[in-house]
Amino acid sequence: MAFTIEKLEDILNRGAFDELKDEYENQWFEAKKQPYQIEVERQKAELARDVASLANLDGGYILIGLRTESESIPHFGDAVKEIHPFESTRVNTDQLEKILQASLIPVPDGLEVRWVSKADDSEKGIVSIYIPKQLETVKPFLHFYVNDKDKKDGVYIGYAKRIGSSTQNQTIKDIQRWIRDGLNYEREIVGRLESIESRIQLISEARTTESFDDIERKIDVKKDEHLIKFGGAGERLMLISGFLANPKTLVSFPDRRSIINSLKQLTEGLRNGGWKGLYSAEIEDSSPAIIRTLRKDLKSIELFPDGTAIYDCDLNVLCFIGGELSGKSPTIIPVALVEVIYQFVSYYFGFLKILEFTGEKCFLKIDLLNMHKNGAKTALPSYTAAPMTHYETSEAPGNNFSKVIEVEINSPERTTFIVLNEIYHWFGLFESQIPYKKELETGEYETDLSTFIS
């Protein structure tokens, strides 16, 4: 049974905490072994930051009394390994709630802190902090604390968000950029409307045969608009764009609801604890000529009636914890890269079938952007790599990489390997060093999902 928030709530209601063993931390679940030491100011700040990060995404649970550890086979987050229940006298839940009330702006609606007893021992239990999903109109949630004991510390205000299974503070540069973008909101909206109008006008024109260069230029325009929309032009990103040569001319989607429903497969992932193509399939744009998801967990997708799809993923989501944020070169987790690419390719082929575009020439464009951001070169390991093990890596030879490949709309496994081969080759690695593959009778390779799904 998949680990869902409903399953977690059922476990809490029954006090059957042992059932949490081997479940993985994720976007809505964080585990803590020990209670927050609220007599320490920075521990108060950490409590507020953890709650704010979940409120800024889609809510979730923080459970105190669970020990986690990373595993040899990489997963999206650490796994729960031991339950450490304690007496209710060790934690004052009312005091925790008061700290949160005084340290968050605004206070998340429905915030609940409670002690939950074990089913077989009512004297011991764990602490549950529940943050319901919040309205987008009240976000962002800021956390702060005032250190009255040390004037040098002064006042701290921060914005934290959930990236994968970890909580990360945003830099002052990020916050300044968001304020700047807010002040320029009117200009952005006007430009966006003009862009949509011109795009609809182009789609409405009679279908003509275009050169491949013209088609690729249009894709680049859409890709640049995508980056502007999400403010990701300076981030370390992977973009995969799918498009067709001279597709049918469609002004709007013939079956919009089916396409929106099909996005759910990108939120389910391939395995428990694995990496998901998208965290949320919520739709951000409702115009007839585009389907755009909200950029939850630093991933998003845009779909167009002409069969174009643009998918972006912040590489922080696919890297070992630490990396750039700790001053080291961010290192891509091979299994994460394979899972995310396969999910996009598989979904894109299904999207084309919904549009009945299966007979057209199909292309994928791979873009890796800002691989040398802040002087930290992105690294890619050869073969499989796991936390706490030794593995050899190869660094990105340049800041940006772009490659267009023609693919057949049939085998997602074969196409995934073709995309991986281009990426690994750019990093200076050989075909033999690509993990999770199997050889076909033709002597070619395809991605072997069974090697990590099982």
Side-chain angles (χ1 to χ4, degrees):
M1 180 180 176
F3 186 46
T4 64
I5 198 165
E6 290 78 17
K7 179 179 178 181
L8 174 59
E9 290 170 344
D10 177 63
I11 291 171
L12 289 176
N13 291 335
R14 292 184 289 111
F17 307 136
D18 285 339
E19 294 180 21
L20 290 169
K21 290 181 179 178
D22 296 323
E23 299 292 2
Y24 296 93
E25 292 181 305
N26 54 43
Q27 297 94 336
W28 49 263
F29 169 51
E30 179 165 351
K32 299 282 185 182
K33 180 181 177 182
Q34 299 292 342
Y36 294 92
Q37 304 301 310
I38 56 177
E39 66 275 5
V40 179
E41 291 296 326
R42 290 194 178 275
Q43 282 279 294
K44 290 183 183 178
E46 181 181 341
L47 166 64
R49 184 198 65 179
D50 291 343
V51 170
S53 71
L54 286 168
N56 282 322
L57 196 56
D58 272 349
Y61 280 88
I62 300 172
L63 300 185
I64 304 172
L66 313 178
R67 185 183 70 81
T68 63
E69 63 181 45
S70 59
E71 297 190 334
S72 58
I73 298 177
H75 289 80
F76 194 59
D78 291 346
V80 176
K81 290 302 178 184
E82 292 180 0
I83 312 300
H84 289 268
F86 47 84
E87 293 81 6
S88 61
T89 53
R90 283 192 58 192
V91 175
N92 186 331
T93 56
D94 288 339
Q95 191 173 10
L96 289 179
E97 195 157 338
K98 288 178 181 177
I99 290 172
L100 291 171
Q101 294 279 346
S103 305
L104 296 171
I105 300 177
V107 178
D109 187 40
L111 178 66
E112 179 185 67
V113 183
R114 65 189 178 109
W115 185 79
V116 186
S117 62
K118 287 188 68 180
D120 56 357
D121 185 354
S122 61
E123 298 298 318
K124 291 186 177 182
I126 64 175
V127 170
S128 163
I129 302 177
Y130 171 55
I131 306 97
K133 181 177 180 179
Q134 304 295 307
L135 295 173
E136 294 294 325
T137 52
V138 301
K139 296 179 182 179
F141 292 87
L142 303 180
H143 60 94
F144 71 97
Y145 82 94
V146 180
N147 192 340
D148 295 325
K149 298 178 181 179
D150 187 349
K151 293 183 180 179
K152 292 182 180 179
D153 277 359
V155 180
Y156 282 83
I157 299 176
Y159 172 74
K161 60 181 178 180
R162 198 79 173 160
I163 297 180
S165 61
S166 62
T167 296
Q168 295 184 8
N169 274 320
Q170 301 306 293
T171 66
I172 190 66
K173 290 182 179 179
D174 291 329
I175 295 173
Q176 187 275 337
R177 186 179 73 248
W178 296 330
I179 295 173
R180 179 198 64 203
D181 290 345
L183 294 174
N184 292 331
Y185 182 72
E186 182 177 355
R187 183 177 63 185
E188 178 186 346
I189 290 298
V190 171
R192 180 177 159 197
L193 290 174
E194 290 176 350
S195 172
I196 291 173
E197 288 173 358
S198 62
R199 187 181 301 156
I200 293 175
Q201 182 179 354
L202 285 171
I203 295 173
S204 301
E205 293 174 353
R207 182 182 179 186
T208 58
T209 301
E210 298 177 284
S211 69
F212 180 81
D213 288 343
D214 289 337
I215 296 171
E216 188 178 359
R217 274 193 290 271
K218 285 186 178 180
I219 297 302
D220 286 338
V221 169
K222 289 180 178 179
K223 182 187 71 178
D224 291 342
E225 290 174 351
H226 180 91
L227 291 174
I228 292 171
K229 164 64 186 174
F230 292 113
E235 301 303 320
R236 200 181 302 260
L237 296 176
M238 176 177 70
L239 287 97
I240 311 178
S241 306
F243 61 97
L244 303 172
N246 296 308
K248 303 171 186 176
T249 301
L250 293 176
V251 176
S252 60
F253 293 97
D255 190 352
R256 184 180 179 86
R257 179 49 52 190
S258 293
I259 294 171
I260 292 174
N261 289 339
S262 71
L263 285 167
K264 292 180 181 177
Q265 65 179 278
L266 286 175
T267 70
E268 295 170 353
L270 299 177
R271 63 191 172 107
N272 184 27
W275 280 261
K276 299 178 181 181
L278 289 175
Y279 175 57
S280 170
E282 290 185 59
I283 304 305
E284 192 266 353
D285 195 294
S286 59
S287 65
I290 188 171
I291 294 175
R292 178 189 292 124
T293 64
L294 289 171
R295 196 164 192 264
K296 294 296 182 69
D297 201 41
L298 302 184
K299 291 171 282 188
S300 65
I301 192 169
E302 284 185 308
L303 305 171
F304 300 86
D306 65 354
T308 299
I310 300 175
Y311 174 75
D312 84 273
C313 178
D314 191 306
L315 278 184
N316 278 316
V317 176
L318 306 184
C319 289
F320 288 113
I321 294 174
E324 181 184 355
L325 298 174
S326 62
K328 301 177 182 178
S329 294
T331 301
I332 297 171
I333 305 173
V335 69
L337 184 66
V338 174
E339 287 187 71
V340 168
I341 291 176
Y342 173 81
Q343 288 175 80
F344 170 78
V345 171
S346 178
Y347 174 77
Y348 181 58
F349 288 175
F351 168 64
L352 294 179
K353 289 178 181 178
I354 294 176
L355 295 178
E356 299 181 353
F357 283 172
T358 53
E360 303 285 341
K361 276 190 176 182
C362 179
F363 299 89
L364 294 180
K365 183 170 187 178
I366 310 133
D367 288 283
L368 301 178
L369 305 180
N370 305 305
M371 296 295 100
H372 292 181
K373 181 183 176 185
N374 298 329
K377 296 181 179 180
T378 307
L380 179 62
S382 59
Y383 308 108
T384 59
M388 311 303 292
T389 62
H390 174 74
Y391 48 83
E392 296 181 358
T393 63
S394 181
E395 293 183 335
N399 193 44
N400 297 318
F401 167 71
S402 184
K403 179 76 174 182
V404 177
I405 54 176
E406 182 176 353
V407 298
E408 295 182 3
I409 309 172
N410 48 27
S411 170
E413 290 85 358
R414 172 62 185 154
T415 301
T416 298
F417 183 82
I418 292 171
V419 172
L420 288 168
N421 195 28
E422 295 291 347
I423 293 174
Y424 273 72
H425 179 73
W426 184 65
F427 271 88
L429 298 170
F430 299 104
E431 183 180 71
S432 60
Q433 295 173 298
I434 302 174
Y436 312 111
K437 65 180 182 292
K438 65 180 177 182
E439 188 172 0
L440 304 173
E441 292 181 358
T442 60
E444 299 174 317
Y445 289 96
E446 71 175 18
T447 296
D448 185 2
L449 302 182
S450 65
T451 54
F452 55 85
I453 288 182
S454 60

